[in-house]
Amino acid sequence: MRDITIVRLNTDSDHVATVASWTYAEWGHLNPAYTAETWREAFRRECGDGGVPSVFVAMQGDRPVGTAALMAEDMASRRDLTPWLASVFVLPEWRGQGIAARLIRRVEEEAAACGIDQFYLYTHDQQGLYRRLGWCDHEILNYRGEEVTIMLRRLEA
Ligand SMILES: CC(C)(COP(=O)(O)OP(=O)(O)OC[C@H]1O[C@@H](n2cnc3c(N)ncnc32)[C@H](O)[C@@H]1OP(=O)(O)O)[C@@H](O)C(=O)NCCC(=O)NCCS
């Protein structure tokens, strides 16, 4: 992998707009109440400054190529579960090199460092990726018209 580093995305970073545009293009249609602008400002608020919420980016030099986040909420119908690994995304030309795996590990480290012993994600088609990284299937349910799996990751205390 060519010199990829994983860094925290700060609220005031110039990269917030770029990374928010990726996640809006990927998932914005599932949240029709948002415009690109309100999505970007909500994403900016999720950046936080440590713990929950946090956003991380994979950087190739000064160019962001992927992202993953630790958030308090990610599924409107399951607010009983918290926190969540969310917004896992790698630019198409950078896929298949382990960048998502590194981003996910970074989010896991962040969660463990603030005393979280388990957290969640949901996915409709990436169960295999997460199972290989130690995540377990927790529940299958229909969410926004799609069958998804909630997965659970237990962390060392
Ligand atoms: C899902 C997604 C984040 C994966 O990103 P990625 O950086 O390609 O993921 P990784 O490289 O860590 O792992 C992907 C595959 O590459 C393989 N891989 C890992 N390191 C590798 C390496 N050094 N060389 C070649 N392949 C490698 C992994 O085994 C994995 O295999 P799989 O395709 O059978 O699952 C990316 O495809 C994406 O952004 N998709 C659109 C958004 C999305 O679906 N997000 C997930 C929401 S739950």
Side-chain angles (χ1 to χ4, degrees):
M1 197 188 312
R2 283 172 285 163
D3 302 329
I4 298 291
T5 55
I6 309 294
V7 301
R8 177 180 300 285
L9 184 64
N10 292 313
T11 306
D12 58 359
S13 167
D14 290 344
H15 299 309
V16 168
T18 303
V19 177
S21 75
W22 302 339
T23 61
Y24 184 68
E26 192 74 27
W27 296 296
H29 67 283
L30 297 171
N31 300 274
Y34 284 92
T35 64
E37 190 176 15
T38 58
W39 181 278
R40 183 180 65 239
E41 291 318 305
F43 186 80
R44 188 185 299 282
R45 286 192 295 277
E46 293 294 343
C47 290
D49 54 12
V52 184
S54 287
V55 178
F56 298 95
V57 283
M59 301 291 297
Q60 201 275 321
D62 59 5
R63 178 181 173 213
V65 299
T67 190
L70 177 62
M71 293 185 185
E73 283 182 11
D74 197 35
M75 184 176 265
S77 60
R78 295 307 303 271
R79 292 208 162 95
D80 54 316
L81 305 180
T82 190
W84 295 79
L85 168 65
S87 304
V88 180
F89 179 88
V90 173
L91 287 177
E93 62 271 33
W94 289 88
R95 291 177 186 168
Q97 302 178 43
I99 294 176
R102 285 186 57 190
L103 284 159
I104 293 162
R105 289 284 179 247
R106 180 64 187 87
V107 173
E108 291 174 358
E109 285 167 19
E110 187 71 15
C114 55
I116 291 162
D117 59 6
Q118 61 182 41
F119 72 132
Y120 301 89
L121 65 78
Y122 74 88
T123 182
H124 77 98
D125 65 352
Q126 296 293 331
Q127 292 86 345
L129 169 68
Y130 296 111
R131 282 180 197 131
R132 281 194 290 280
L133 294 172
W135 289 73
C136 304
D137 294 34
H138 179 68
E139 187 179 330
I140 295 174
L141 74 168
N142 193 282
Y143 186 56
R144 293 172 170 158
E146 198 169 57
E147 185 177 281
V148 303
T149 306
I150 297 178
M151 302 185 75
L152 166 70
R153 177 79 165 124
R154 292 197 170 80
L155 300 167
E156 300 285 326

PDB file of all heavy atoms in Angstrom, residues 38-61:
ATOM      1  N   THR A  38     -26.692  20.542   4.183  1.00  0.00           N
ATOM      2  CA  THR A  38     -27.027  20.148   5.566  1.00  0.00           C
ATOM      3  C   THR A  38     -26.336  18.836   5.936  1.00  0.00           C
ATOM      4  O   THR A  38     -25.949  18.636   7.087  1.00  0.00           O
ATOM      5  CB  THR A  38     -28.553  20.043   5.779  1.00  0.00           C
ATOM      6  OG1 THR A  38     -29.103  19.086   4.853  1.00  0.00           O
ATOM      7  CG2 THR A  38     -29.224  21.380   5.582  1.00  0.00           C
ATOM      8  N   TRP A  39     -26.142  17.969   4.939  1.00  0.00           N
ATOM      9  CA  TRP A  39     -25.392  16.726   5.176  1.00  0.00           C
ATOM     10  C   TRP A  39     -23.950  17.059   5.597  1.00  0.00           C
ATOM     11  O   TRP A  39     -23.419  16.499   6.549  1.00  0.00           O
ATOM     12  CB  TRP A  39     -25.393  15.886   3.895  1.00  0.00           C
ATOM     13  CG  TRP A  39     -24.679  14.580   3.987  1.00  0.00           C
ATOM     14  CD1 TRP A  39     -23.330  14.368   3.871  1.00  0.00           C
ATOM     15  CD2 TRP A  39     -25.265  13.296   4.205  1.00  0.00           C
ATOM     16  NE1 TRP A  39     -23.047  13.036   3.994  1.00  0.00           N
ATOM     17  CE2 TRP A  39     -24.211  12.359   4.191  1.00  0.00           C
ATOM     18  CE3 TRP A  39     -26.577  12.840   4.383  1.00  0.00           C
ATOM     19  CZ2 TRP A  39     -24.431  10.985   4.361  1.00  0.00           C
ATOM     20  CZ3 TRP A  39     -26.795  11.483   4.552  1.00  0.00           C
ATOM     21  CH2 TRP A  39     -25.730  10.585   4.541  1.00  0.00           C
ATOM     22  N   ARG A  40     -23.340  17.988   4.856  1.00  0.00           N
ATOM     23  CA  ARG A  40     -21.943  18.353   5.144  1.00  0.00           C
ATOM     24  C   ARG A  40     -21.817  18.922   6.556  1.00  0.00           C
ATOM     25  O   ARG A  40     -20.896  18.573   7.297  1.00  0.00           O
ATOM     26  CB  ARG A  40     -21.448  19.374   4.126  1.00  0.00           C
ATOM     27  CG  ARG A  40     -19.959  19.741   4.322  1.00  0.00           C
ATOM     28  CD  ARG A  40     -19.502  20.757   3.301  1.00  0.00           C
ATOM     29  NE  ARG A  40     -20.190  22.034   3.463  1.00  0.00           N
ATOM     30  CZ  ARG A  40     -20.930  22.625   2.531  1.00  0.00           C
ATOM     31  NH1 ARG A  40     -21.081  22.083   1.344  1.00  0.00           N
ATOM     32  NH2 ARG A  40     -21.528  23.779   2.779  1.00  0.00           N
ATOM     33  N   GLU A  41     -22.765  19.768   6.971  1.00  0.00           N
ATOM     34  CA  GLU A  41     -22.652  20.368   8.303  1.00  0.00           C
ATOM     35  C   GLU A  41     -22.925  19.334   9.396  1.00  0.00           C
ATOM     36  O   GLU A  41     -22.293  19.362  10.457  1.00  0.00           O
ATOM     37  CB  GLU A  41     -23.559  21.594   8.415  1.00  0.00           C
ATOM     38  CG  GLU A  41     -23.064  22.754   7.553  1.00  0.00           C
ATOM     39  CD  GLU A  41     -21.533  22.946   7.600  1.00  0.00           C
ATOM     40  OE1 GLU A  41     -20.967  23.092   8.689  1.00  0.00           O
ATOM     41  OE2 GLU A  41     -20.888  22.930   6.524  1.00  0.00           O
ATOM     42  N   ALA A  42     -23.840  18.390   9.129  1.00  0.00           N
ATOM     43  CA  ALA A  42     -24.059  17.301  10.093  1.00  0.00           C
ATOM     44  C   ALA A  42     -22.805  16.437  10.189  1.00  0.00           C
ATOM     45  O   ALA A  42     -22.387  16.042  11.287  1.00  0.00           O
ATOM     46  CB  ALA A  42     -25.264  16.462   9.668  1.00  0.00           C
ATOM     47  N   PHE A  43     -22.181  16.181   9.040  1.00  0.00           N
ATOM     48  CA  PHE A  43     -20.946  15.383   9.021  1.00  0.00           C
ATOM     49  C   PHE A  43     -19.838  16.109   9.785  1.00  0.00           C
ATOM     50  O   PHE A  43     -19.089  15.501  10.551  1.00  0.00           O
ATOM     51  CB  PHE A  43     -20.532  15.118   7.568  1.00  0.00           C
ATOM     52  CG  PHE A  43     -19.359  14.192   7.429  1.00  0.00           C
ATOM     53  CD1 PHE A  43     -19.514  12.820   7.523  1.00  0.00           C
ATOM     54  CD2 PHE A  43     -18.084  14.699   7.209  1.00  0.00           C
ATOM     55  CE1 PHE A  43     -18.430  11.967   7.404  1.00  0.00           C
ATOM     56  CE2 PHE A  43     -16.994  13.850   7.090  1.00  0.00           C
ATOM     57  CZ  PHE A  43     -17.168  12.480   7.189  1.00  0.00           C
ATOM     58  N   ARG A  44     -19.756  17.411   9.597  1.00  0.00           N
ATOM     59  CA  ARG A  44     -18.734  18.199  10.301  1.00  0.00           C
ATOM     60  C   ARG A  44     -18.907  18.055  11.819  1.00  0.00           C
ATOM     61  O   ARG A  44     -17.938  17.883  12.556  1.00  0.00           O
ATOM     62  CB  ARG A  44     -18.855  19.672   9.882  1.00  0.00           C
ATOM     63  CG  ARG A  44     -17.729  20.570  10.398  1.00  0.00           C
ATOM     64  CD  ARG A  44     -17.956  22.031  10.063  1.00  0.00           C
ATOM     65  NE  ARG A  44     -18.030  22.321   8.642  1.00  0.00           N
ATOM     66  CZ  ARG A  44     -16.982  22.409   7.815  1.00  0.00           C
ATOM     67  NH1 ARG A  44     -15.765  22.223   8.275  1.00  0.00           N
ATOM     68  NH2 ARG A  44     -17.143  22.679   6.540  1.00  0.00           N
ATOM     69  N   ARG A  45     -20.175  18.093  12.278  1.00  0.00           N
ATOM     70  CA  ARG A  45     -20.421  17.960  13.724  1.00  0.00           C
ATOM     71  C   ARG A  45     -20.002  16.589  14.238  1.00  0.00           C
ATOM     72  O   ARG A  45     -19.628  16.436  15.396  1.00  0.00           O
ATOM     73  CB  ARG A  45     -21.912  18.204  14.038  1.00  0.00           C
ATOM     74  CG  ARG A  45     -22.317  19.662  13.944  1.00  0.00           C
ATOM     75  CD  ARG A  45     -23.700  19.890  14.539  1.00  0.00           C
ATOM     76  NE  ARG A  45     -24.775  19.217  13.801  1.00  0.00           N
ATOM     77  CZ  ARG A  45     -25.359  19.710  12.704  1.00  0.00           C
ATOM     78  NH1 ARG A  45     -24.985  20.871  12.213  1.00  0.00           N
ATOM     79  NH2 ARG A  45     -26.319  19.035  12.101  1.00  0.00           N
ATOM     80  N   GLU A  46     -20.043  15.563  13.362  1.00  0.00           N
ATOM     81  CA  GLU A  46     -19.660  14.210  13.782  1.00  0.00           C
ATOM     82  C   GLU A  46     -18.151  14.070  13.940  1.00  0.00           C
ATOM     83  O   GLU A  46     -17.681  13.048  14.447  1.00  0.00           O
ATOM     84  CB  GLU A  46     -20.167  13.163  12.771  1.00  0.00           C
ATOM     85  CG  GLU A  46     -21.683  13.024  12.699  1.00  0.00           C
ATOM     86  CD  GLU A  46     -22.295  12.472  13.981  1.00  0.00           C
ATOM     87  OE1 GLU A  46     -21.555  11.907  14.796  1.00  0.00           O
ATOM     88  OE2 GLU A  46     -23.511  12.627  14.157  1.00  0.00           O
ATOM     89  N   CYS A  47     -17.383  15.045  13.473  1.00  0.00           N
ATOM     90  CA  CYS A  47     -15.922  14.892  13.544  1.00  0.00           C
ATOM     91  C   CYS A  47     -15.428  14.873  14.986  1.00  0.00           C
ATOM     92  O   CYS A  47     -14.525  14.122  15.320  1.00  0.00           O
ATOM     93  CB  CYS A  47     -15.225  16.003  12.754  1.00  0.00           C
ATOM     94  SG  CYS A  47     -15.448  15.824  10.966  1.00  0.00           S
ATOM     95  N   GLY A  48     -16.024  15.687  15.853  1.00  0.00           N
ATOM     96  CA  GLY A  48     -15.654  15.668  17.254  1.00  0.00           C
ATOM     97  C   GLY A  48     -14.172  15.915  17.463  1.00  0.00           C
ATOM     98  O   GLY A  48     -13.449  16.365  16.566  1.00  0.00           O
ATOM     99  N   ASP A  49     -13.686  15.601  18.675  1.00  0.00           N
ATOM    100  CA  ASP A  49     -12.248  15.763  18.908  1.00  0.00           C
ATOM    101  C   ASP A  49     -11.670  14.616  19.715  1.00  0.00           C
ATOM    102  O   ASP A  49     -10.645  14.735  20.360  1.00  0.00           O
ATOM    103  CB  ASP A  49     -11.941  17.117  19.565  1.00  0.00           C
ATOM    104  CG  ASP A  49     -12.741  17.315  20.835  1.00  0.00           C
ATOM    105  OD1 ASP A  49     -13.348  16.336  21.312  1.00  0.00           O
ATOM    106  OD2 ASP A  49     -12.751  18.442  21.350  1.00  0.00           O
ATOM    107  N   GLY A  50     -12.327  13.465  19.681  1.00  0.00           N
ATOM    108  CA  GLY A  50     -11.833  12.282  20.382  1.00  0.00           C
ATOM    109  C   GLY A  50     -12.993  11.505  20.961  1.00  0.00           C
ATOM    110  O   GLY A  50     -14.001  12.092  21.356  1.00  0.00           O
ATOM    111  N   GLY A  51     -12.873  10.181  20.997  1.00  0.00           N
ATOM    112  CA  GLY A  51     -13.965   9.355  21.511  1.00  0.00           C
ATOM    113  C   GLY A  51     -15.153   9.369  20.563  1.00  0.00           C
ATOM    114  O   GLY A  51     -14.996   9.362  19.347  1.00  0.00           O
ATOM    115  N   VAL A  52     -16.367   9.404  21.127  1.00  0.00           N
ATOM    116  CA  VAL A  52     -17.599   9.407  20.317  1.00  0.00           C
ATOM    117  C   VAL A  52     -18.161  10.821  20.287  1.00  0.00           C
ATOM    118  O   VAL A  52     -18.455  11.367  21.354  1.00  0.00           O
ATOM    119  CB  VAL A  52     -18.654   8.456  20.932  1.00  0.00           C
ATOM    120  CG1 VAL A  52     -19.879   8.378  20.040  1.00  0.00           C
ATOM    121  CG2 VAL A  52     -18.075   7.070  21.190  1.00  0.00           C
ATOM    122  N   PRO A  53     -18.304  11.486  19.104  1.00  0.00           N
ATOM    123  CA  PRO A  53     -18.013  10.963  17.774  1.00  0.00           C
ATOM    124  C   PRO A  53     -16.580  11.270  17.346  1.00  0.00           C
ATOM    125  O   PRO A  53     -15.952  12.214  17.837  1.00  0.00           O
ATOM    126  CB  PRO A  53     -19.001  11.750  16.890  1.00  0.00           C
ATOM    127  CG  PRO A  53     -19.082  13.095  17.559  1.00  0.00           C
ATOM    128  CD  PRO A  53     -18.958  12.823  19.039  1.00  0.00           C
ATOM    129  N   SER A  54     -16.100  10.478  16.385  1.00  0.00           N
ATOM    130  CA  SER A  54     -14.802  10.706  15.737  1.00  0.00           C
ATOM    131  C   SER A  54     -14.905  10.276  14.278  1.00  0.00           C
ATOM    132  O   SER A  54     -15.625   9.324  13.964  1.00  0.00           O
ATOM    133  CB  SER A  54     -13.702   9.844  16.365  1.00  0.00           C
ATOM    134  OG  SER A  54     -13.324  10.295  17.643  1.00  0.00           O
ATOM    135  N   VAL A  55     -14.171  10.976  13.414  1.00  0.00           N
ATOM    136  CA  VAL A  55     -14.065  10.574  12.002  1.00  0.00           C
ATOM    137  C   VAL A  55     -12.579  10.442  11.675  1.00  0.00           C
ATOM    138  O   VAL A  55     -11.772  11.298  12.081  1.00  0.00           O
ATOM    139  CB  VAL A  55     -14.728  11.603  11.062  1.00  0.00           C
ATOM    140  CG1 VAL A  55     -14.568  11.177   9.603  1.00  0.00           C
ATOM    141  CG2 VAL A  55     -16.213  11.770  11.392  1.00  0.00           C
ATOM    142  N   PHE A  56     -12.220   9.386  10.957  1.00  0.00           N
ATOM    143  CA  PHE A  56     -10.838   9.175  10.521  1.00  0.00           C
ATOM    144  C   PHE A  56     -10.781   9.139   9.005  1.00  0.00           C
ATOM    145  O   PHE A  56     -11.752   8.740   8.342  1.00  0.00           O
ATOM    146  CB  PHE A  56     -10.285   7.876  11.115  1.00  0.00           C
ATOM    147  CG  PHE A  56     -10.257   7.914  12.608  1.00  0.00           C
ATOM    148  CD1 PHE A  56     -11.300   7.382  13.351  1.00  0.00           C
ATOM    149  CD2 PHE A  56      -9.222   8.551  13.274  1.00  0.00           C
ATOM    150  CE1 PHE A  56     -11.307   7.470  14.735  1.00  0.00           C
ATOM    151  CE2 PHE A  56      -9.218   8.649  14.665  1.00  0.00           C
ATOM    152  CZ  PHE A  56     -10.266   8.106  15.383  1.00  0.00           C
ATOM    153  N   VAL A  57      -9.646   9.562   8.465  1.00  0.00           N
ATOM    154  CA  VAL A  57      -9.452   9.485   7.017  1.00  0.00           C
ATOM    155  C   VAL A  57      -8.131   8.790   6.717  1.00  0.00           C
ATOM    156  O   VAL A  57      -7.160   8.917   7.480  1.00  0.00           O
ATOM    157  CB  VAL A  57      -9.469  10.870   6.321  1.00  0.00           C
ATOM    158  CG1 VAL A  57     -10.884  11.390   6.192  1.00  0.00           C
ATOM    159  CG2 VAL A  57      -8.595  11.864   7.030  1.00  0.00           C
ATOM    160  N   ALA A  58      -8.130   8.050   5.609  1.00  0.00           N
ATOM    161  CA  ALA A  58      -6.896   7.484   5.070  1.00  0.00           C
ATOM    162  C   ALA A  58      -6.338   8.521   4.110  1.00  0.00           C
ATOM    163  O   ALA A  58      -7.048   8.981   3.205  1.00  0.00           O
ATOM    164  CB  ALA A  58      -7.201   6.175   4.335  1.00  0.00           C
ATOM    165  N   MET A  59      -5.067   8.911   4.321  1.00  0.00           N
ATOM    166  CA  MET A  59      -4.444   9.944   3.494  1.00  0.00           C
ATOM    167  C   MET A  59      -3.339   9.333   2.652  1.00  0.00           C
ATOM    168  O   MET A  59      -2.508   8.568   3.164  1.00  0.00           O
ATOM    169  CB  MET A  59      -3.829  11.038   4.376  1.00  0.00           C
ATOM    170  CG  MET A  59      -4.795  11.748   5.301  1.00  0.00           C
ATOM    171  SD  MET A  59      -5.993  12.790   4.454  1.00  0.00           S
ATOM    172  CE  MET A  59      -4.932  14.002   3.674  1.00  0.00           C
ATOM    173  N   GLN A  60      -3.311   9.677   1.383  1.00  0.00           N
ATOM    174  CA  GLN A  60      -2.172   9.370   0.522  1.00  0.00           C
ATOM    175  C   GLN A  60      -1.540  10.723   0.248  1.00  0.00           C
ATOM    176  O   GLN A  60      -2.079  11.519  -0.519  1.00  0.00           O
ATOM    177  CB  GLN A  60      -2.639   8.673  -0.749  1.00  0.00           C
ATOM    178  CG  GLN A  60      -1.570   7.878  -1.459  1.00  0.00           C
ATOM    179  CD  GLN A  60      -0.732   8.743  -2.392  1.00  0.00           C
ATOM    180  OE1 GLN A  60      -1.266   9.626  -3.054  1.00  0.00           O
ATOM    181  NE2 GLN A  60       0.544   8.486  -2.441  1.00  0.00           N
ATOM    182  N   GLY A  61      -0.434  11.009   0.970  1.00  0.00           N
ATOM    183  CA  GLY A  61       0.096  12.366   0.930  1.00  0.00           C
ATOM    184  C   GLY A  61      -0.929  13.306   1.530  1.00  0.00           C
ATOM    185  O   GLY A  61      -1.426  13.067   2.628  1.00  0.00           O
TER     186      GLY A  61
END
